[in-house]
Amino acid sequence: MNKIAIAIHGGAGENSEFIEANYAGYLEGLRNAIEHGHQLLVDGASAVDAVEATVQILEDNPLFNAGRGAALNSDGEVEMDAAIMDGSNRSAGSVSMVTQVKNPITLARKVMDNTKHVHIAGYGALRLAKDHELELMHKDYFIVERQLNDLKDEKSYGHGTVGCVALDSQGNMAAGTSTGGITNSLPGRVGDSCMIGAGCYADSNCASSCTGDGEVIITNVIAHKVALLMELKGMTLQEACDYTINNPNQPIAGDVGIVSVNQYGEIAFSFNCDRMHRASIDRTGELVVDIYQSDSLLKPF
Ligand code: ASP
């Protein structure tokens, strides 16, 4: 069989009592999603299809900040962002300020496949979802107790995201990212997750999905930088991810996590904070499911 590989993240940042209390549930959610996505690839699915389906599973899981369980803005409302990119031809679709749509990643896919645009926001995104008869939910569906508590706690800076990268049996890669953004953000704030090159990027070098402080992921153009470092500097995938996050000449003032795959089915995780919820099945079939930092993962430059 040709090499296939898939990796996901479910957000990066500080540890919290909620994460510790729900540790087993998070591991189970990550494992379910990665095994489902991997099976699709084994069955011959394209990287884009596997990424979309895997992100959907994470969006439906209320433990993660995307779809059901999304963060609440300062008005107590959910506004979601998502992006998907096909590395085989660098086509992409993304959406922001999405309400009611059960699976924003599928709406991003519609933008990619069914419009001549890359990004659709707000009321236009909702209209497109209705035009394509995507599943819509009452706004209460998205709101979970954890996010209500985070919004009440003024000191809380809740955030998180889900993402997936995959290499299919044809050698093509894709990336997808979906988020509820940051707790207590200004209404209308749009983060990195739906910005191609920042929180999501795929080409023939690699596919990457990011999580963390969206504003610094945008200004450091994180996902695209990984691909450029590989292409122009000849770095390995892991070196490119680590350098992007830990470049001493241009320190990043925030939490950032990246998950990437390359055309050889190698997978890299890199993050500069307490934890990144993550899972992968690489070209050798090895399953990894983890949350906290481990010595082997972060190599400071
Ligand atoms: N990057 C996301 C955003 O800024 C949040 C996160 O991944 O934690 O919207």
Side-chain angles (χ1 to χ4, degrees), residues 9-13 65 79 81 157-162 177-183 185 189-194 199 210-218 255 257 275:
H9 68 75
N65 175 13
E79 286 181 337
D81 301 336
Y157 175 57
H159 58 94
T161 288
V162 306
T177 311
S178 180
T179 191
I182 291 179
T183 303
S185 60
R189 178 261 184 192
V190 175
D192 62 293
S193 306
C194 63
C210 302
T211 177
D213 294 325
E215 279 66 14
V216 300
I217 297 173
I218 295 168
D255 293 344
R275 48 115 202 140

